[in-house]
Amino acid sequence: MDTGSWFVQLDAWQVMALGLVFFGSLYCLGGWGMTALTRSLARRGIGRVLDARALKPDQLRREWRQSLHSVLIFGIGMVVPWGLLQLGWAQLAPSASAGRIALEIAALLVWNDVHFWLNHRLLHTRRLVRFHGDHHRSVVTTPWSTYSFHPIEAIMLGNIILLPMLVHDFYFWSLASVPVLSLLLNVIGHANYDFFPRVSDTHPLAASRRHHLHHARPAGNYGFALAFMDQLMRTRVESAPGPR
Ligand SMILES: [Zn+2]
Ligand SMILES: [Zn+2]
């Protein structure tokens, strides 16, 4: 498989253009795909909608507008990891076995949850919460809420791969998988849909329920796709008992 040397050889303008197309396509595909999937599951009686209340007037338009800003930040921001490679501060592994790629992706996903919990917890402190209010304006979430942040939040969450790149020479495709998997998990988190109503709140398959609860009651459940950070840091919030 290609080692990613083509990426290093691009110039800064090409990297920014690629970043905009990449993150714009991810957001659109994730939003459309998840909307279609939850509609189809609801029609078949598989799973359940978490919050059936109507969206706020203009909510979708606001989510799209804010997400456009995030796509600009993430897309243009692709020059930062590219810049680390140009400066020689980070390097890519020239080759990797399938096992190594799987390990790298697993480590990056765990780091993703740690990084998200830390930044999200900071965003709920008194000083920074004003930058997080934009995201919480979506009380009933939609797949389009996924990137609807204040620009400061987009910068905080968007730097996920920088620190790992400084400490380890990743294979290019392991790094490239992070925004794709992250978008996928994030779109699940904001789907407003309980895909597996029978599993417990801490189960990996209950991520959408946990993040839905965070939007309904923002004190707690700061984790991303997995529950381990909220369990370790004792910030877990349980869903109200009742029929599932
Ligand atoms: Zn959210
Ligand atoms: Zn929050």
Side-chain angles (χ1 to χ4, degrees), residues 120 124 132 135-136 211 214 218 222:
H120 192 190
H124 275 275
H132 191 44
H135 183 63
H136 276 281
H211 198 67
H214 176 70
Y222 303 113

Side-chain angles (χ1 to χ4, degrees), residues 90-169:
Q91 255 138 38
L92 295 171
S95 64
S97 64
R100 174 173 166 167
I101 295 173
L103 262 179
E104 285 184 349
I105 292 176
L108 287 167
L109 283 181
V110 171
W111 165 243
N112 193 19
D113 252 84
V114 174
H115 177 269
F116 184 84
W117 189 97
L118 290 171
N119 281 287
H120 192 190
R121 184 68 194 87
L122 275 175
L123 284 162
H124 275 275
T125 56
R126 213 147 40 96
R127 266 173 193 275
L128 296 183
V129 77
R130 63 198 151 119
F131 301 124
H132 191 44
D134 279 347
H135 183 63
H136 276 281
R137 280 164 74 188
S138 305
V139 177
V140 177
T141 58
T142 78
W144 304 105
S145 319
T146 301
Y147 278 178
S148 70
F149 321 119
H150 187 283
I152 298 287
E153 175 166 355
I155 292 168
M156 287 172 76
L157 299 181
N159 66 36
I160 161 94
I161 60 166
L162 299 185
L163 187 61
M165 280 180 76
L166 294 177
V167 297
H168 175 73
D169 294 350

Side-chain angles (χ1 to χ4, degrees), residues 141-239:
T141 58
T142 78
W144 304 105
S145 319
T146 301
Y147 278 178
S148 70
F149 321 119
H150 187 283
I152 298 287
E153 175 166 355
I155 292 168
M156 287 172 76
L157 299 181
N159 66 36
I160 161 94
I161 60 166
L162 299 185
L163 187 61
M165 280 180 76
L166 294 177
V167 297
H168 175 73
D169 294 350
F170 283 91
Y171 192 55
F172 176 78
W173 294 104
S174 305
L175 289 173
S177 75
V178 173
V180 179
L181 294 173
S182 177
L183 183 278
L184 187 68
L185 295 168
N186 217 336
V187 120
I188 292 172
H190 292 97
N192 187 27
Y193 203 84
D194 201 351
F195 298 90
F196 301 95
R198 288 170 194 279
V199 303
S200 74
D201 281 356
T202 51
H203 196 284
L205 295 175
S208 63
R209 206 187 304 152
R210 285 193 295 276
H211 198 67
H212 159 73
L213 266 169
H214 176 70
H215 277 263
R217 253 183 308 164
N221 285 2
Y222 303 113
F224 187 64
L226 301 169
F228 74 93
M229 281 302 287
D230 283 307
Q231 287 176 292
L232 281 175
M233 307 307 280
R234 297 172 194 260
T235 49
R236 188 158 85 82
V237 175
E238 299 196 32
S239 56

Side-chain angles (χ1 to χ4, degrees), residues 4-12 14-15 82 86:
S5 52
W6 61 271
F7 179 73
V8 183
Q9 283 159 17
L10 297 176
D11 68 36
Q14 289 170 325
V15 170
W82 172 84
Q86 299 298 323

